[in-house]
Amino acid sequence: MTAGSLTALSVRKVTARIGAEIRGVNIGDELDGETVAAIRAALNEHKALVFPDVDLDDAGQERFARYFGELTTAHPTVPSEPGAPNVLPVDSERGRANHWHTDVTFVVSPPQVSTLRSIVLPPYGGETLIANAAAAYRDLPEPLRAFAETLWAVHTNDYDYDYAVPPESLDESARERRTQFTSIGYETVHPVVRVHPLTGERGLFIGGFASRIVGLSNTESRDILRLLQSYVTRPENVLRWRWSLNELVVFDNRITQHYAIDNYDDLPRRLNRVTVAGEIPVGVHGKASYSISGDASHYTPAISVPNAA
């Protein structure tokens, strides 16, 4: 294979606050250290990267993701692609994740990076929204920002807390998917404001798996989470990506949220996801996240940030 060349790599911003398109490098080739460092630097800055016209299969996607670190298995509870334990099919036939979330925050060390590769696309719709949680934090008024830095949230994969999706509204296949998703129950406490381990940026670390604020009632928690979440999803902070075939999108799962829009009727849509093992989150005062219940050791190693108190 030909080594990837740094000199040809170009980075084009897609929006002012999030997203860049990367051209001039074949990520199916073996990449040299300088090129990998440049891609990592672009991800740190732009939070989400798009690589168009990639020539990758599952193994190639895994190989590229490993430049960022050790891979997780596909998911703590959802089956992987057959024969590919690190690959999760994000398939409309398996359900549609049309809610704002950061991947797998219900475990103590969520992925640091998620990669999505387009395989089957509808002729219209099916975009992915990706939001910059660091910009959301910076948008907060100072009193609200200081308040958020004191808060910790319980994240869970138990959908029973989500009153927007009552169980009786689900059909049989959706109930089966929910049963699979919650087959191991997880509860983890994370800081509402997380410090990024590479850049030192602060970002709102909440999203769809955040069920309540520690020390507050469910009603108080919902009101506060709804208020903070409204800053994450401001249009200025959001990249709306219209997929083309054979694209790879990479986003920093530590400081973004995303949403797969269900706007393509009953048409098929398939992406394959590979995620990179991440660190245990740390808040602004140096305290690390901790698990209440659920063993995720089969899914990902728990990587501590050096010097975390």
Side-chain angles (χ1 to χ4, degrees):
M1 290 187 291
T2 304
S5 171
L6 176 61
T7 58
L9 186 145
S10 69
V11 180
R12 182 185 66 86
K13 290 179 71 168
V14 179
T15 81
R17 290 191 169 189
I18 182 170
E21 188 177 74
I22 306 296
R23 291 186 177 271
V25 60
N26 183 355
I27 61 173
D29 288 345
E30 182 180 345
L31 303 181
D32 59 50
E34 283 187 297
T35 300
V36 172
I39 293 171
R40 168 64 87 176
L43 184 62
N44 289 344
E45 178 179 357
H46 300 288
K47 311 298 186 287
L49 304 178
V50 179
F51 295 86
D53 302 319
V54 299
D55 183 15
L56 296 175
D57 55 12
D58 287 340
Q61 184 177 354
E62 291 174 320
R63 184 173 60 250
F64 176 73
R66 283 192 179 94
Y67 286 118
F68 296 93
E70 183 178 351
L71 303 186
T72 71
T73 56
H75 193 273
T77 59
V78 178
S80 69
E81 176 75 357
N86 303 108
V87 179
L88 180 73
V90 181
D91 194 327
S92 58
E93 294 185 1
R94 289 190 175 195
R96 304 186 179 200
N98 55 325
H99 65 100
W100 282 104
H101 65 287
T102 297
D103 282 337
V104 201
T105 59
F106 47 84
V107 304
V108 74
S109 50
Q112 57 153 305
V113 169
S114 293
T115 71
L116 290 170
R117 177 170 55 94
S118 54
I119 297 173
V120 177
L121 295 175
Y124 53 84
E127 300 97 332
T128 297
L129 306 179
I130 308 173
N132 184 339
Y137 167 83
R138 292 192 294 269
D139 285 343
L140 295 175
E142 194 283 328
L144 187 53
R145 192 184 311 138
F147 176 52
E149 290 175 356
T150 71
L151 301 177
W152 290 74
V154 177
H155 294 236
T156 179
N157 64 330
D158 184 353
Y159 280 3
D160 287 346
Y161 76 85
D162 187 353
Y163 301 108
V165 187
E168 62 271 15
S169 70
L170 302 175
D171 59 25
E172 183 177 352
S173 62
R175 283 195 296 271
E176 289 176 356
R177 289 194 297 271
R178 176 178 284 194
T179 298
Q180 174 81 66
F181 195 84
T182 59
S183 57
I184 303 173
Y186 291 96
E187 279 197 329
T188 298
V189 178
H190 291 302
V192 166
V193 177
R194 179 181 182 178
V195 179
H196 194 286
L198 297 182
T199 68
E201 283 185 287
R202 298 178 180 186
L204 291 176
F205 196 63
I206 44 177
F209 299 120
S211 63
R212 60 182 175 85
I213 301 295
V214 174
L216 299 182
S217 70
N218 288 339
T219 300
E220 293 163 337
S221 296
R222 283 196 295 272
D223 288 344
I224 291 169
L225 289 169
R226 186 182 300 115
L227 173 61
L228 296 175
Q229 183 69 13
S230 71
Y231 283 84
V232 176
T233 58
R234 282 183 168 183
E236 295 85 352
N237 294 334
V238 175
L239 168 68
R240 181 172 181 144
W241 191 254
R242 175 74 168 106
W243 289 92
S244 297
L245 282 174
N246 303 315
E247 282 183 330
L248 186 77
V249 170
V250 180
F251 52 85
D252 191 328
N253 196 58
R254 296 168 292 202
I255 206 158
T256 61
Q257 290 184 29
H258 56 284
Y259 185 117
I261 308 174
D262 182 3
N263 61 350
Y264 48 99
D265 295 321
D266 294 323
L267 297 165
R269 177 183 184 270
R270 165 75 178 266
L271 312 173
N272 274 10
R273 187 179 90 183
V274 175
T275 50
V276 182
E279 311 84 356
I280 298 175
V282 173
V284 298
H285 303 296
K287 182 180 176 183
S289 301
Y290 57 94
S291 174
I292 298 174
S293 62
D295 180 3
S297 58
H298 64 290
Y299 166 66
T300 183
I303 303 171
S304 296
V305 176
N307 302 319

